[in-house]
Amino acid sequence: MYTEKVMDHFTNPRNMGEIENASGVGTVGNAKCGDIMRMYLDIDENGVIRDVKFKTFGCGAAVATSSMATELVKGKTIQEALKVTNKSVMEALEGLPPVKVHCSLLAEEAIHAALWDYAQKNNIKIEGLSKPKDDISEEEQEPEY
Ligand code: FES
């Protein structure tokens, strides 16, 4: 059901934990499954993501997608990090079962929420970033059976 990459990131998650005095923190949840993901970003004066950590209270796929998402944004600029979508996270994990696609959306939104928090704290506007949703299930489409 899960690819080796998913199992690897689930059993051995990268960048798990939290960052004290993070530049931006974003928390998103999905009311349907009850899972919650929190991302911490440490952004330097050049707008480069120096460090990133996550905490996920959720399913295995949510843990694996958060872990992969942190790997994809670490060392990137804010603009590059914005291009990390749930699709790119899924691709990097070599796929997710259809019922688990929403878990990767949580990862994308958690990054956006942390960037949004960073922008608010610094009173700046990040091109291409809109206010994140608190509950990503609002956006989800009903799965087709
Ligand atoms: Fe909801 Fe995975 S089942 S985040």
Side-chain angles (χ1 to χ4, degrees):
M1 181 174 176
Y2 289 116
T3 66
E4 263 176 44
K5 280 243 164 98
V6 174
M7 290 313 292
D8 176 30
H9 278 264
F10 168 58
T11 50
N12 179 25
R14 327 297 199 261
N15 307 308
M16 200 156 64
E18 61 187 272
I19 297 175
E20 243 179 86
N21 303 317
S23 318
V25 182
T27 307
V28 290
N30 181 315
K32 272 195 200 153
C33 65
D35 292 349
I36 298 170
M37 196 181 284
R38 182 170 296 154
M39 286 272 173
Y40 301 83
L41 297 175
D42 176 21
I43 299 173
D44 73 12
E45 57 287 350
N46 300 316
V48 173
I49 298 170
R50 189 159 42 189
D51 199 10
V52 48
K53 295 256 190 273
F54 79 91
K55 273 190 173 170
T56 289
F57 313 91
C59 74
V63 172
T65 52
S66 335
S67 168
M68 182 54 91
T70 59
E71 294 250 284
L72 293 176
V73 301
K74 200 169 187 173
K76 301 275 170 65
T77 64
I78 292 170
Q79 279 307 320
E80 287 166 339
L82 269 183
K83 295 198 189 98
V84 174
T85 60
N86 78 305
K87 283 207 178 72
S88 44
V89 174
M90 279 199 295
E91 267 165 32
L93 289 169
E94 293 168 358
L96 278 176
V99 292
K100 291 287 172 181
V101 171
H102 77 269
C103 318
S104 62
L105 264 175
L106 214 50
E108 177 185 318
E109 280 299 315
I111 295 170
H112 288 183
L115 288 171
W116 182 263
D117 181 47
Y118 166 76
Q120 297 287 99
K121 280 183 179 147
N122 291 281
N123 223 355
I124 55 168
K125 192 175 174 329
I126 298 176
E127 192 80 32
L129 179 68
S130 45
K131 193 171 189 304
K133 297 158 215 66
D134 297 333
D135 172 15
I136 63 129
S137 62
E138 289 163 15
E139 227 198 22
E140 265 178 59
Q141 286 155 11
E142 289 300 317
E144 288 172 32
Y145 293 106

